[in-house]
Amino acid sequence: MKETKTLKLLDNIQFIYELALARLELQSFNPDLKVTNDFREFELKDDGNFETLKRRLAYFKTIDGDYSDYYYLQKYNQTKSVNQYLTHWIYPYKGKFHPQMIRALMNIIKIQNGEKLFDPFVGSGTAVLEAQILGINAIGLDISPLCVLISKVKTESVDALDEIKKYKDFYLFKKGVKEPSDEKVKNFYKVAEMMAHSDQSRRGKNFESSFISDALKMIASVEDYGNAIKKHNLKIGKTKILEGDARKINLKDESVDGIITSPPYSIALNYVANDAHSLKALGYDLEKIKEDFIGVRGTGLNKFELYDKDMKKAYSEMYRVLKKNKYCVVVIGNVTFQGQEINTTQSVINCCEKIGFKTIKKMEKIIYGLYNVMQKEYILIFQK
Ligand SMILES: C[S@@+](CC[C@H](N)C(=O)[O-])C[C@H]1O[C@@H](n2cnc3c(N)ncnc32)[C@H](O)[C@@H]1O
């Protein structure tokens, strides 16, 4: 008879959806499992793939007594927030994914090392970075040049760490005269500058001192990333970040192995106004670029019509670029407009099914966010 092994959950698991995802990610490797010890542990029949479990799982602290990679990775953290490890914390982007959830979802959709994950609304780059850490190649797309810049810096700086450090005095203390030629170095300090703009406009902080402290903390995080790669022998994935429109994706038909994304939640957040300080500092005309941002165009009720039309195009494009039988995960929330809840989630399901997707799962994701305000979102899993 095969031996039984015990897996313990990480201490930070607190929400039901996390427990559900933990179970699903484990099931995708081995369906023969049992939940024990009041939901904090799982028992599994040993099928010899414990090394894979240790390397890939997102919600588990120990696997048969050995710590998981994730347990160690979360500790490379320059912030106070448990989920903002490595370079995830860079730039205070509103509506970031929880990276641990992305890792679990990649396991659930069974995306393999060397395969390609795509996020057509990449935002601050969470999905792409998390894929890279796990050894999965990833493409991220966003209409916002700021998002493209942030996502590049989070995923590409580790290759340019020595150069970034070499130019520290030049950027931080205005010493030396020679500008770098390396795009990665320029991007790195540009994002530090954008963070200082954000600190100044949102929190009234001093620009110069914020710039120095943000840049130093960013360098420490990139160093952490480099050290984690060496220490845990991570085979990181290749990444590509593209500026472009999700309604017209510049990728070939059936060219990606999985999609995990979170589009704008209807008209809930104005991504142009929200990052106006940084976009302006980068030299963009907000009125001009706003026209291509989904959920921002139009006024009043017309905004909803335009949103639905735009998203239909985006979901059709996602369907087109995804390989047959592969999965597309959409994280979405309903919005309230003039006191009425708009069921964006059901619209997504209807629209995706019309295009040809099969709905595999609809999971509720309820959390208590900032100031203990309840946030309800949905994780939708579709298959082509
Ligand atoms: C909910 S956010 C994504 C956040 C992301 N999951 C993260 O972890 O940071 C939605 C993103 O859609 C982008 N967006 C809006 N219109 C777009 C379009 N037409 N094409 C591509 N991206 C667009 C916005 O710039 C925003 O970054």
Side-chain angles (χ1 to χ4, degrees), residues 116-125 128 138-153 155-156 187 238-252 255-256 261 284 293 317 320-321:
K116 217 184 277 162
L117 181 84
F118 177 47
D119 182 351
F121 298 96
V122 78
S124 63
V128 169
I139 304 176
L141 175 83
D142 207 287
I143 196 76
S144 162
L146 173 67
C147 291
V148 171
L149 189 66
I150 300 167
S151 301
K152 280 188 175 174
V153 165
T155 52
E156 294 174 359
N187 287 347
K238 291 189 205 105
T239 60
K240 205 173 353 164
I241 312 294
L242 309 167
E243 187 176 324
D245 195 332
R247 295 170 298 178
K248 209 170 173 303
I249 297 170
N250 196 7
L251 292 177
K252 291 202 178 99
S255 58
V256 302
T261 197
Y284 291 95
F293 275 69
E317 280 289 86
R320 179 182 67 75
V321 300

Side-chain angles (χ1 to χ4, degrees), residues 88 93-99 101-102 119-128 141-145 147-148 150-151 154 242-249 260-265 269 271-272 275 290-296 310-311 314 331:
H88 274 301
Y93 199 67
K94 228 174 163 178
K96 274 186 190 179
F97 274 143
H98 203 298
M101 174 184 84
I102 300 301
D119 182 351
F121 298 96
V122 78
S124 63
T126 316
V128 169
L141 175 83
D142 207 287
I143 196 76
S144 162
C147 291
V148 171
I150 300 167
S151 301
K154 282 185 181 181
L242 309 167
E243 187 176 324
D245 195 332
R247 295 170 298 178
K248 209 170 173 303
I249 297 170
I260 300 179
T261 197
S262 178
Y265 294 7
L269 191 63
Y271 288 97
V272 181
D275 287 304
K290 159 178 158 192
E291 278 314 298
D292 289 326
F293 275 69
I294 296 175
V296 178
D310 286 342
M311 283 311 300
V331 180

Side-chain angles (χ1 to χ4, degrees), residues 157-307:
S157 298
V158 70
D159 294 336
L161 181 59
D162 291 343
E163 284 294 292
I164 287 169
K165 279 173 41 190
K166 204 168 110 190
Y167 284 95
K168 191 169 87 180
D169 284 353
F170 172 76
Y171 280 101
L172 270 52
F173 309 110
K174 314 288 174 240
K175 283 190 202 148
V177 279
K178 223 174 115 244
E179 274 227 26
S181 54
D182 189 337
E183 208 57 38
K184 288 176 187 161
V185 178
K186 287 187 193 165
N187 287 347
F188 182 87
Y189 288 101
K190 190 56 92 193
V191 167
E193 209 183 291
M194 293 308 120
M195 289 190 45
H197 277 298
S198 167
D199 287 342
Q200 187 183 37
S201 81
R202 287 180 185 152
R203 293 193 266 160
K205 286 197 179 174
N206 175 277
F207 179 84
E208 289 301 328
S209 55
S210 290
F211 174 63
I212 293 174
S213 67
D214 287 335
L216 291 176
K217 205 163 128 185
M218 281 170 68
I219 292 175
S221 300
V222 178
E223 265 172 343
D224 278 351
Y225 196 2
N227 292 336
I229 292 171
K230 275 191 225 127
K231 181 104 197 275
H232 304 287
N233 198 16
L234 305 178
K235 307 255 175 305
I236 64 166
K238 291 189 205 105
T239 60
K240 205 173 353 164
I241 312 294
L242 309 167
E243 187 176 324
D245 195 332
R247 295 170 298 178
K248 209 170 173 303
I249 297 170
N250 196 7
L251 292 177
K252 291 202 178 99
D253 294 0
E254 309 199 339
S255 58
V256 302
D257 302 280
I259 295 176
I260 300 179
T261 197
S262 178
Y265 294 7
S266 186
I267 63 161
L269 191 63
N270 184 330
Y271 288 97
V272 181
N274 205 47
D275 287 304
H277 47 275
S278 292
L279 287 164
K280 265 195 230 151
L282 287 172
Y284 291 95
D285 175 345
L286 303 192
E287 278 311 305
K288 230 189 205 163
I289 63 170
K290 159 178 158 192
E291 278 314 298
D292 289 326
F293 275 69
I294 296 175
V296 178
R297 295 197 300 139
T299 47
L301 283 176
N302 180 241
K303 259 189 165 178
F304 288 101
E305 275 168 39
L306 289 172
Y307 173 83

